[in-house]
Amino acid sequence: MEIRVNSIQREKGLTVLQFSTDVQDSFKYISLAQAIEKNQLEIKEVSQAADVNNLAVFNLSKDYVFLMDGDILEGAKQNRVVNTSVLLAPNSKMILPVSCVEQGRWNFVSDKFKGANYTAPMKMRANKAKRVRESLDNARGHESDQGEVWEGVSGYSMSFNVDSRTQICPIFITIKLKILISSLVHLR
């Protein structure tokens, strides 16, 4: 199957890629959450010693799997955020570039990661994407500035008066709930 890129549009932190194939409706893919739910995707630490900025991903399905920049992965030695969007081929494996969003924990809570039902906040994704772009421009791969990611998590924690022993990213769920409650209160 031939895939053609028809256009690329960028606006602030969003890039939209329009592509087409020679066969209509033939490009089947599933999301990270769908693949994990169906046990068709395994995400693990690269080794028992682990590597903060890289995870091993195994696509066990016959489908392409889409992992989106900003997807949060929970489990293993510490929670991570995906550094770049990836379309993983069927029955393949890769080393996925990630950043830590849980400063202060470095012990296994599970052997595999699961997908979270939330993504990193827009500003954090934008800052991370800027650093990844700079890293790519300097031939260093999809690296972010880990300190800046941790500062982002900490900043969101302080802004919304949410405390966490490990500066864990699920604070974003609490923050989203506080924003929703505040919005509902203002609607009265």
Side-chain angles (χ1 to χ4, degrees):
M1 170 177 37
E2 180 182 337
I3 299 172
R4 293 177 301 283
V5 175
N6 298 328
S7 68
I8 299 175
Q9 297 178 18
R10 292 183 176 93
E11 180 65 33
K12 297 183 182 175
L14 177 67
T15 300
V16 176
L17 175 75
Q18 180 186 24
F19 61 91
S20 60
T21 66
D22 51 345
V23 180
Q24 281 190 317
D25 299 326
S26 64
F27 196 76
K28 183 176 179 178
Y29 71 93
I30 57 178
S31 69
L32 168 122
Q34 292 168 319
I36 288 177
E37 183 179 307
K38 295 177 180 179
N39 293 317
Q40 295 178 337
L41 188 74
E42 284 188 2
I43 305 175
K44 300 179 174 186
E45 298 288 358
V46 292
S47 68
Q48 284 297 104
D51 176 347
V52 172
N53 300 114
N54 292 292
L55 298 175
V57 181
F58 304 89
N59 182 355
L60 309 172
S61 77
K62 62 183 181 353
D63 298 316
Y64 283 86
V65 177
F66 180 63
L67 294 85
M68 185 177 73
D69 173 22
D71 278 343
I72 300 291
L73 304 169
E74 297 176 327
K77 280 195 156 184
Q78 58 187 189
N79 297 354
R80 312 295 214 302
V81 60
V82 175
N83 278 358
T84 188
S85 294
V86 173
L87 192 60
L88 187 58
N91 299 304
S92 65
K93 60 185 177 182
M94 72 169 295
I95 301 298
L96 180 68
V98 294
S99 297
C100 169
V101 288
E102 187 179 13
Q103 185 178 16
R105 177 173 69 91
W106 191 242
N107 60 294
F108 279 98
V109 295
S110 62
D111 62 334
K112 298 180 206 171
F113 286 88
K114 63 179 184 169
N117 60 357
Y118 58 94
T119 60
M122 183 184 70
K123 185 175 180 181
M124 180 183 287
R125 289 192 320 265
N127 290 341
K128 183 178 57 61
K130 180 179 178 183
R131 298 297 176 235
V132 168
R133 168 55 41 209
E134 290 169 358
S135 181
L136 287 168
D137 289 346
N138 291 305
R140 292 190 319 261
H142 293 85
E143 294 179 9
S144 69
D145 179 334
Q146 183 60 67
E148 185 175 67
V149 172
W150 282 336
E151 285 174 18
V153 173
S154 180
Y156 281 104
S157 297
M158 288 189 299
S159 294
F160 290 91
N161 197 26
V162 177
D163 190 33
S164 170
R165 181 179 55 81
T166 61
Q167 292 297 314
I168 192 167
C169 198
I171 60 163
F172 299 130
I173 294 174
T174 306
I175 291 167
K176 286 181 180 183
L177 285 173
K178 285 186 174 190
I179 292 170
L180 178 62
I181 290 168
S182 174
S183 298
L184 292 173
V185 167
H186 292 337
L187 288 175
R188 288 186 183 188

